[in-house]
Amino acid sequence: MANPNPTDLSSPSGIDYRLAFDLAPVGLALSRQRTMVDCNQALCDMFGASREQLVGQSFQVLYPSADEYERTGARIAPILGKNGTYADERIMKRVDGRLKGDTFWCHVTGRALKREAPHEAGIWSFEDLSSRRVVRAELTPREREVAAFLMAGLTSKEIGKQLAISHRTVEIYRARLMRKYQAGSSVDLVHKLMTG
């Protein structure tokens, strides 16, 4: 029996998975120890970089700061270890191109190939949310993290637990965000964060 044509998409067994990866409508990256070992064109376009600029690089190049990269990795490892998957919305940074250095909201979802070694190997998807949500203010790394958790509906105590800081410290960051976004209340702040 002949092997199916790898470019014949008319039958499920004939799908060229490389082509599907490359043409996926969302950014995709394969990782090993938090380094990109492969990525698709949608990811390159989203971050304004070529495949050669991303493959072999740490995911740190996609983060606004090294601190956020480190804290995010530490925070998601136990969740990946428990569930095998992780998802959040966070602020990321364009790597190159005409928008180089610009920050934008991004929905990130990942799956660890081994729960017992969550960062060993995985697949990650990235969806650019900038058409629906704009980063309007210059935020510190911690403010970006608090903003993401506020939009997810967490309380100050829950955010404090996630970030390993006191709820009073979270309230200080919330107050700073309210000033930067000229929000009259926490509800108004979340609305302004969500709508840009």
Side-chain angles (χ1 to χ4, degrees), residues 95-153:
V95 174
D96 206 352
R98 66 181 179 83
L99 300 175
K100 181 178 181 176
D102 280 3
T103 56
F104 66 101
W105 281 102
C106 189
H107 180 80
V108 181
T109 304
R111 175 175 293 279
L113 299 187
K114 294 182 185 173
R115 288 186 187 187
E116 65 275 10
H119 288 312
E120 183 177 301
I123 184 163
W124 294 87
S125 70
F126 297 80
E127 181 187 359
D128 186 343
L129 302 176
S130 61
S131 65
R132 301 188 300 263
R133 187 180 309 150
V134 178
V135 179
R136 290 191 315 162
E138 281 293 320
L139 304 178
T140 67
R142 201 53 113 175
E143 287 169 346
R144 288 190 285 264
E145 291 172 323
V146 170
F149 284 121
L150 286 171
M151 288 188 303

Side-chain angles (χ1 to χ4, degrees), residues 3 19 34 38 85 90 95 107 113 115-116 118 127 129 132 135 138 148 162 167-168 174 183 186 190 196:
N3 287 333
L19 183 63
R34 301 189 77 200
D38 200 359
T85 61
R90 64 180 82 144
V95 174
H107 180 80
L113 299 187
R115 288 186 187 187
E116 65 275 10
E127 181 187 359
L129 302 176
R132 301 188 300 263
V135 179
E138 281 293 320
Q162 289 289 321
H167 74 278
R168 293 184 199 281
R174 181 195 309 258
S186 292
V190 171

